[in-house]
């Protein structure tokens, strides 16, 4: 059974600090990796994707991928209360994008 | 902007009723998906479709069927609703590339009494 694992949290981070969210996956052949943000009662929305080893930055967000260790992480700099949400890690297990496996999510809480 | 719409935000049905959930996307995406999301269990794939009239079972297809007669529309059918099908149902669509991301509809919260 191919799996994507995340710590469910809640992860509590003070406002202005860096929030670090981690995800591990079991399928070594996975090709694309995504981070979604989901506010309570809302549907997931994409915030980052990455498919090459290393870091990818977009504003306050940085995705980090290490295929050898099979983990992907999301860093949120200068955390804001509006970043409080559940963050879902998703992994594309094949090259056709026909099936993406989601982790169960990490709940992040930014305290003022 | 990609738009994925779902026919209802909230739905209340009785046990044994037939339930139709509809999803429409406006980006000419090949792939469409139905998930359910429950606390502690995350997103679980029910069915997906990679082309018109084509479908594949996901992880939890039992008690559900789907229909895709047109590229933009993907329907989820509960033939005989049961209380354990009370959940949030999310539709998503994406293109055919490996790096294509899934775009989600707003979700339908279904309660089966």
């Amino acid at each position: 059974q191919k799996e994507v694992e995340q710590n469910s949290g809640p992860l509590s981070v003070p406002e202005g600090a860096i929030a670090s969210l981690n995800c591990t996956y079991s399928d070594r052949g996975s090709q694309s990796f995504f981070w979604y943000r989901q506010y309570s009662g809302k549907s997931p929305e994409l915030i980052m994707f990455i498919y090459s080893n290393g870091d990818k930055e977009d504003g306050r967000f940085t995705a980090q991928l290490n295929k050898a260790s099979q983990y992907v992480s999301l860093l949120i700099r200068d955390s804001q209360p509006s970043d409080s949400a559940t963050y879902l890690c998703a992994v594309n297990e094949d090259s056709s994008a026909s099936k993406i496996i989601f982790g169960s999510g990490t709940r992040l809480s930014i305290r003022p | 902007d990609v738009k994925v719409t779902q026919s209802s935000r909230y739905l209340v049905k009785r046990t044994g009723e037939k339930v139709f959930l509809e999803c429409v996307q406006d980006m000419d995406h090949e792939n469409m998906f139905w998930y359910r999301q429950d606390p502690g269990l995350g997103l679980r794939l029910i069915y997906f479709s990679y082309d018109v009239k084509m479908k594949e079972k996901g992880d939890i297809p039992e008690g559900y069927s789907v229909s895709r007669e047109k590229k933009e529309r993907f329907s989820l059918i509960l033939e005989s609703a049961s209380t354990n099908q009370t959940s949030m149902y999310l539709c998503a669509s994406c293109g055919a590339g490996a790096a294509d991301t899934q775009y989600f509809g707003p979700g339908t919260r279904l309660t089966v009494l």
Side-chain angles (χ1 to χ4, degrees):
Chain A
Q1 176 94 10
K2 295 172 183 174
E3 293 182 342
V4 176
E5 301 279 350
Q6 295 181 256
N7 189 320
S8 61
L11 175 65
S12 180
V13 172
E15 185 174 356
I18 296 175
S20 177
L21 304 161
N22 299 311
C23 171
T24 59
Y25 59 94
S26 62
D27 182 9
R28 190 170 285 278
S30 298
Q31 308 223 358
S32 307
F33 308 84
F34 307 86
W35 282 101
Y36 288 80
R37 178 177 61 202
Q38 186 174 23
Y39 292 114
S40 180
K42 302 292 186 182
S43 57
E45 56 178 331
L46 179 76
I47 51 173
M48 292 283 291
F49 71 89
I50 186 168
Y51 45 83
S52 299
N53 269 331
D55 295 0
K56 180 181 179 182
E57 190 174 315
D58 183 0
R60 295 187 296 112
F61 299 96
T62 299
Q64 299 175 316
L65 175 60
N66 183 324
K67 288 187 176 180
S69 301
Q70 294 176 240
Y71 83 77
V72 57
S73 61
L74 179 71
L75 302 179
I76 307 175
R77 289 183 299 282
D78 187 25
S79 296
Q80 303 296 309
S82 60
D83 295 326
S84 296
T86 296
Y87 289 80
L88 304 176
C89 172
V91 175
N92 183 359
E93 62 175 3
D94 65 26
S95 60
S96 65
S98 61
K99 192 172 177 184
I100 293 176
I101 299 176
F102 286 84
S104 56
T106 298
R107 190 154 55 94
L108 174 66
S109 175
I110 307 300
R111 56 183 191 271
Chain B
D1 266 359
V2 175
K3 194 159 186 182
V4 181
T5 57
Q6 295 183 229
S7 49
S8 305
R9 287 287 281 126
Y10 300 93
L11 210 51
V12 180
K13 295 292 182 180
R14 295 208 174 272
T15 300
E17 281 193 81
K18 192 169 186 175
V19 182
F20 292 88
L21 302 181
E22 295 213 312
C23 175
V24 178
Q25 51 96 0
D26 67 357
M27 283 302 292
D28 202 35
H29 282 160
E30 288 80 3
N31 298 306
M32 296 188 75
F33 307 81
W34 276 106
Y35 295 91
R36 63 178 283 178
Q37 188 175 34
D38 302 287
L41 296 177
L43 278 166
R44 293 182 292 168
L45 181 65
I46 304 171
Y47 268 98
F48 72 97
S49 169
Y50 52 90
D51 202 351
V52 175
K53 297 190 186 295
M54 306 304 288
K55 61 186 179 185
E56 284 199 26
K57 293 180 180 179
D59 301 316
I60 51 163
E62 296 78 19
Y64 304 95
S65 62
V66 291
S67 172
R68 193 165 180 203
E69 296 296 319
K70 293 185 178 181
K71 191 174 186 179
E72 67 271 18
R73 189 179 297 268
F74 192 33
S75 301
L76 180 69
I77 303 145
L78 288 66
E79 295 289 342
S80 178
S82 62
T83 55
N84 63 12
Q85 293 178 309
T86 292
S87 186
M88 170 69 87
Y89 288 88
L90 290 161
C91 174
S93 74
C94 75
D100 280 16
T101 187
Q102 292 191 6
Y103 295 89
F104 285 85
T108 296
R109 183 160 295 283
L110 173 66
T111 301
V112 182
L113 301 175

